[in-house]
Amino acid sequence: MHYKFALVGNPNCGKTTMFNEITGSTQYVGNWPGVTIEKKEGKAKKFKEDIKIIDLPGIYSLSPYSMEEIIARDYILDEKPDVLINIIDATNIERNLYLTTQVIELGIPVVVALNMMDAVEAKGDQIDIRALEKAFGVPIIGTSANKGKGINELLHKALEVAESSALTHGTSACKFYDEQIEKCIGEIENTIVPSLTVKAQNPRWTALKLLEGDEKAKEKLNVSAKVLDQIKVYQEKLEKVYDNDMETIIADNRYRFISKSISKAVKKKSAGGELTVSDKIDKVVTHRILAIPLFLAVMLGIFQITFGAIGSFTIDWVDVLINETIAGTVSGWLEVSGAAPWLHDLVVNGIIGGMGSMLVFVPQIMILFFFLAILEDSGYMSRAAFVMDRLLRKLGLSGKSFIPMLMGFGCSVPAIMSARTLENEKDRRLTIILTLFMSCGAKLPVYALFVSAFFAKDQAWVVFSIYVLGIIVAVFSGVILKKTVLKGETAPFVMELPPYRIPTFKGLSIHMLDRGKDFVKKAGTIIFAAAVVIWFAQSFSFSLQMVEDPGNSIMGTFGKIIAPFFAPLGFGDWKSSVALLTGFVAKEVVVATLGILHGLGEVGEDTASLAATLQTSFTPLKAYAFMAFTLLYMPCVAAFGTIKREMNSWKWTLFTVGYQTGVAWIVAFIIYQGGRLLGFN
Amino acid sequence: MINWIIGGIIIGLTVFIIVQRIRSMRRGESGCCSGCSVSKSQCHCDHKK
């Protein structure tokens, strides 16, 4: 049999963790709301039945206000899953049950997963699951998705509900409203709904939506003016009785029902008002004065570990493996096989040198992402967003922009896409532009190479300052753009702070290994192809003759044309200029290009040799200006495509890329020329 | 002979990767998150254990 189960629940209630547990996927899980923006699909493992699981975005209600709510509701109504698995954060049961009341009303079989029961038990609270089942009329199973507890029981129950022909367990006969409202719903259901031109699949739900005045539902049902007048009579009658608007009356009734139900089923150990551990930690980490210095100190600590002794050890180890062991073996084998010098140069200097120059930094990057994952999974990153919101609001920007900006530290592509959560188009465009100033993971090999060459003793401080520079430039750009081309009202930002959680080793490993896998995969595909093309362009002239001096090659000729553009920034040599240009393919290619052009990969040449070669054409000041330019200039081709897709305008896409490159040039110019004026070298 | 074989494989692979890359970008996939369509919001969306 084929079944379709959809997971629905509030943001950060553990849906994606549940999805991963059921399907065996390794979806990204974050301890902040809004990790899932679009639905994801997978198949349940360990079941002989063919069960498709759909992970819907986290939503607080089924009212069609935000994009996530519309996606979730449209999916449920149009695709009609066999069972809706409503996941509830048991530590925040009252608010989570609001969505449950709406989900039950849809008329699709529902099974509730009371998730995070381990946290409830740890707090010493008690939930009478049977009493809740009785109140809501649907099966409820206690689960702890992060520990894999209750998942099988939940799926068995969902299967049972899906298989039962009468579906009596799934569709609840529960009524959440006062008698007067129920009477109006009943009358609309019996007299008005049958007369609609579009046939209602769930008459009671349709009646309720019409009474509530749900615009999307009215649009979908193609409701005539005559019907709207009939509905208005009921609405006016109830609004007079309750002295409130219809939407509030309905919401208030649902909350009253929930309140009544949980007063019988939930017993809290501590009286309300007592501070939880999360509250106590928050008093410090979101403190008005301490919060930002603390955030900066935490980030600096992470950079110290990553670029300190541990990180350096991993570089040395991988360096020996690639540039001595592998390059030596391959070189020896090619010589024995009688390979031509050009092939030897292509394989050893071009491919191994190009790929190797980036791969040596992969373990270091994995260490950084391991620590960033701890911050994220523990719930600390949400606090950082909250703290930044306070700062951004003072500058007239929406704190909502900061979540995509935080995601931009990983990869710009999903970060640009997460700007979709902003309803206002101007805010969305602004967020996309600001996100691109964040230092994505692909730029890390560039920093790692330059700090090891020029700032050996202060590696962590320098990389940290580059990250902070990105944030500062983004904030300044935001203020300028908000006052000029993207003028408009700032959307309010409401964000729920998730409770602190101890990150699971599994979760951290997924983050770290995925990041490492992505880099290795990229090295084996894009960087490989780029290395071959770069080797060709630096070995041949326009007349396709092999050249001795790379300065006379295709790449050299081209590099010399564009070099004057970079000369005022301190890196006007053709090799650096052309390396920046190849960064459009992928940012790691900047390092691969420098590696190939400076002969990394030749046996005996290692990353330390490349660093020494760079010291002949760069000074620490020039190196810092180069890193700042790399941080801020135009994005890679994948991000470029995503900007075009998301902005849906060539004008705005080109403006974004032009603005970024312009800002990068100005900032690098100020750093280099300002540094020189101050006597730095 | 060895030059032709290895050179051919390298050039063939390079052309294949470039063509695949262009195709996947036209399908809307990201180069940063392998196998991820830009119609999804996160990296690692299609990774299986």
Side-chain angles (χ1 to χ4, degrees), chain A residues 184-195:
Chain A
C184 290
I185 296 171
E187 282 179 24
I188 296 171
E189 187 183 342
N190 295 326
T191 57
I192 299 175
V193 173
S195 69

Side-chain angles (χ1 to χ4, degrees), chain A residues 24-28 35 37-38 42 333-334 337-340 342-343 346-347 351 407 411 413-414 417 420 506 514 517-518 521-522 524-526 528-529 532-533 637-638 642 645, chain B residues 2-15 17-18 21 24-49:
Chain A
S25 301
T26 52
Q27 295 283 352
Y28 178 91
V35 164
I37 296 169
E38 288 202 349
W333 183 80
L334 285 171
S337 313
W342 66 265
L343 182 64
L346 168 62
V347 175
I351 297 171
M407 289 172 72
C411 174
V413 172
M417 298 187 57
R420 283 182 186 181
K506 188 183 167 193
D514 273 346
K517 242 170 28 188
D518 273 348
K521 194 171 176 187
K522 215 170 172 184
T525 52
I526 302 169
F528 173 90
V532 174
V533 174
V637 65
T642 313
R645 225 174 278 268
Chain B
I2 185 90
N3 300 329
W4 284 107
I5 295 170
I6 300 179
I9 291 171
I10 291 171
I11 291 166
L13 257 177
T14 305
V15 172
I17 291 167
I18 294 171
R21 190 77 221 106
S24 66
M25 281 188 58
R26 288 181 68 161
R27 279 200 303 267
E29 288 173 3
S30 155
C32 302
C33 324
S34 42
C36 276
S37 156
V38 290
S39 66
K40 313 257 171 151
S41 61
Q42 291 292 338
C43 292
H44 323 305
C45 39
D46 295 329
H47 294 190
K48 299 277 174 193
K49 259 181 192 170

Side-chain angles (χ1 to χ4, degrees), chain A residues 355-374:
Chain A
M355 286 165 65
S357 54
M358 178 199 129
L359 284 173
V360 292
F361 300 112
V362 171
Q364 202 172 25
I365 291 163
M366 285 169 73
I367 294 171
L368 177 65
F369 280 95
F370 177 81
F371 286 106
L372 290 179
I374 293 179

Side-chain angles (χ1 to χ4, degrees), chain A residues 39 106 109 167 180 255 280 301 321 346 360 448 555 589 632:
Chain A
K39 62 181 164 53
L106 289 171
L167 302 177
Q180 292 194 62
Y255 269 117
K280 284 175 191 164
L321 176 75
L346 168 62
V360 292
M555 193 166 257
V589 180
L632 304 170

Side-chain angles (χ1 to χ4, degrees), chain A residues 554-624:
Chain A
I554 298 170
M555 193 166 257
T557 311
F558 194 66
K560 283 171 190 168
I561 296 170
I562 59 166
F565 175 76
F566 298 104
L569 316 182
F571 37 92
D573 68 299
W574 73 266
K575 289 179 181 174
S576 313
S577 310
V578 95
L580 283 169
L581 205 69
T582 57
F584 183 59
V585 175
K587 295 297 165 189
E588 301 91 332
V589 180
V590 174
V591 172
T593 309
L594 288 172
I596 295 168
L597 294 178
H598 291 287
L600 183 73
E602 285 166 9
V603 184
E605 289 281 326
D606 55 12
T607 307
S609 311
L610 175 58
T613 315
L614 285 176
Q615 281 164 358
T616 59
S617 46
F618 279 90
T619 62
L621 184 61
K622 287 178 181 177
Y624 196 84

